[in-house]
Amino acid sequence: MGSLVKKEETSSSLMTEFLEKCGGYAVVDGGFATELERHGADINDPLWSAKCLITSPHLVTKVHLDYLESGANIIITASYQATIQGFVAKGLSVGEAENLLRRSIEITCEAREIFYNRCTKGSWDFAYAGTASRRPVLVAASVGSYGAYLADGSEYSGIYGDSVSKETLKDFHRRRVQILAKSGADLIAFETIPNKLEAEAYADLLEEEGIEIPAWFSFTSKDGVTVPRGDSVVECAKVADSCKKVVAIGINCTAPRYIHDLIISLRQVTRKPIVVYPNSGEVYDGLNKKWIKSGEESEEDFVSYVSKWRDEGASLFGGCCRTTPNTIRAIAKVLSSESPAASKLKLKQ
């Protein structure tokens, strides 16, 4: 019992200590698939960005490095849509599929080492990062929803059908979570959660499987009040808050204009750090698999919200779909100029 309590305390303290080292606020990376495509990858595939783990891992490394260069403190693996079931459907063996999951973390950790080495050698100049020795970087293993595996748009509706129960979801995610938790990542990022049922399945898995690294739960919303399935964001957040393995709760892949109110909603039910990494404001058409410009928000608007989100209680900030290293660089600049450490420096001057 004592060792269990100690592990839970270690999990909760990891994020607290990490944020302290970052100066109170941390920067998460940005859109991954967008950047892979910009570098020439063809990800029009049910595996989406995870396809590059097979075809072009060097591009995965390149995107990680782009975000590290832009000031990210947390880089997320290319495993969002990487599932054993999905890889097997493409003709790979179970063993090969499991190795690709491990490889997604290895690539990310390798990118972090390349970054640190280049910083040490003075190859790059970081205006917002400080020296490599003082800039912490965590690797987060991405876990996408069951709907992401289906690749039929249901990750944006959260509607999986009556035949999909909590046990179905636990069985689907179990082996992937086990592998990702033991492959060298610092935490697991359960992302774009579209319904309460899947959050409950994740929470059960973390407890039942004795997962030793911490996690964050990040939900998605189309209206600033509910997740796509219609469950209240507040009720979903309660599930995350009650799980001792969860060290941060947040929102991703959501229009920036909804984030302010969602942070307020999350703060009603949790004192855990809040992570927000919205998309660009464009709307995804899941049936036709394309992004539609909303015409309501720009990258400049996105970045201008960061101070407001921080004031409402968020601690970790990044971007999701269609955001770029430029977005992350701008967020890092805002946070570095407004961090407690920066404020102390200004007072001394």
Side-chain angles (χ1 to χ4, degrees):
M1 182 69 180
S3 62
L4 178 62
V5 172
K6 189 173 182 180
K7 285 179 182 177
E8 290 173 350
E9 289 176 348
T10 301
S11 291
S12 62
S13 65
L14 177 136
M15 186 58 70
T16 302
E17 292 174 2
F18 169 71
L19 287 170
E20 288 175 357
K21 290 178 181 177
C22 290
Y25 311 106
V27 182
V28 183
D29 64 11
F32 210 84
T34 307
E35 288 304 293
L36 286 172
E37 289 180 315
R38 188 171 68 84
H39 288 301
D42 176 9
I43 57 173
N44 184 18
D45 188 276
L47 291 176
W48 199 45
S49 56
K51 177 186 175 185
C52 290
L53 294 172
I54 304 171
T55 61
S56 45
H58 64 288
L59 293 183
V60 176
T61 301
K62 169 65 175 167
V63 174
H64 287 319
L65 288 170
D66 286 347
Y67 281 118
L68 287 168
E69 182 182 1
S70 298
N73 298 110
I74 298 179
I75 45 176
I76 302 175
T77 63
S79 55
Y80 176 81
Q81 213 143 311
T83 65
I84 295 170
Q85 298 88 335
F87 285 134
V88 168
K90 298 292 285 187
L92 279 70
S93 69
V94 171
E96 289 170 331
E98 292 183 350
N99 284 336
L100 282 171
L101 286 173
R102 296 185 185 98
R103 187 65 185 133
S104 72
I105 294 176
E106 290 171 0
I107 290 170
T108 315
C109 291
E110 288 166 3
R112 176 171 59 183
E113 288 308 305
I114 293 170
F115 167 72
Y116 280 148
N117 288 337
R118 290 183 179 177
C119 285
T120 302
K121 293 175 182 177
S123 300
W124 286 336
D125 177 31
F126 297 94
Y128 328 117
T131 63
S133 61
R134 283 179 284 170
R135 178 177 166 195
V137 174
L138 296 183
V139 168
S142 174
V143 173
S145 69
Y146 177 67
Y149 153 71
L150 296 176
D152 61 358
S154 60
E155 66 182 302
Y156 299 101
S157 70
I159 300 172
Y160 300 154
D162 295 337
S163 64
V164 177
S165 66
K166 183 166 71 170
E167 290 304 315
T168 305
L169 295 173
K170 286 163 63 176
D171 289 342
F172 173 80
H173 288 294
R174 180 174 283 107
R175 184 58 182 151
R176 172 165 62 154
V177 170
Q178 289 173 338
I179 291 170
L180 293 174
K182 295 179 178 180
S183 298
D186 299 298
L187 72 156
I188 302 175
F190 293 96
E191 304 186 277
T192 324
I193 305 173
N195 56 49
K196 183 181 177 184
L197 184 67
E198 199 148 20
E200 293 172 338
Y202 291 149
D204 284 358
L205 278 179
L206 289 174
E207 297 296 340
E208 292 171 7
E209 298 301 322
I211 301 302
E212 294 188 1
I213 64 173
W216 80 43
F217 281 15
S218 183
F219 300 91
T220 182
S221 177
K222 295 179 179 179
D223 60 7
V225 179
T226 64
V227 294
R229 183 66 178 87
D231 309 304
S232 160
V233 166
V234 168
E235 291 304 310
C236 290
K238 287 179 181 178
V239 173
D241 188 65
S242 66
C243 181
K244 292 182 174 61
K245 300 292 179 69
V246 174
V247 297
I249 302 171
I251 302 291
N252 76 292
C253 209
T254 296
R257 61 185 174 278
Y258 295 130
I259 298 299
H260 180 272
D261 289 346
L262 285 165
I263 294 171
I264 294 173
S265 296
L266 293 178
R267 266 291 162 254
Q268 293 175 12
V269 295
T270 188
R271 303 317 301 169
K272 294 180 180 182
I274 290 176
V275 53
V276 292
Y277 49 121
N279 58 31
S280 64
E282 295 170 76
V283 179
Y284 188 69
D285 180 343
L287 293 176
N288 296 308
K289 299 187 185 305
K290 63 180 182 179
W291 289 92
I292 302 169
K293 290 187 179 295
S294 67
E296 296 180 33
E297 289 163 315
S298 66
E299 188 168 85
E300 290 74 18
D301 293 331
F302 182 118
V303 175
S304 72
Y305 294 148
V306 171
S307 294
K308 298 181 180 70
W309 298 339
R310 184 209 61 228
D311 292 345
E312 288 301 336
S315 301
L316 302 103
F317 310 83
C320 197
C321 298
R322 311 290 280 185
T323 60
T324 69
N326 286 337
T327 316
I328 301 310
R329 186 175 289 106
I331 290 173
K333 186 175 182 180
V334 169
L335 293 178
S336 68
S337 66
E338 299 178 359
S339 70
S343 297
K344 289 178 182 178
L345 183 60
K346 288 177 182 177
L347 287 173
K348 288 180 180 179
Q349 294 174 338

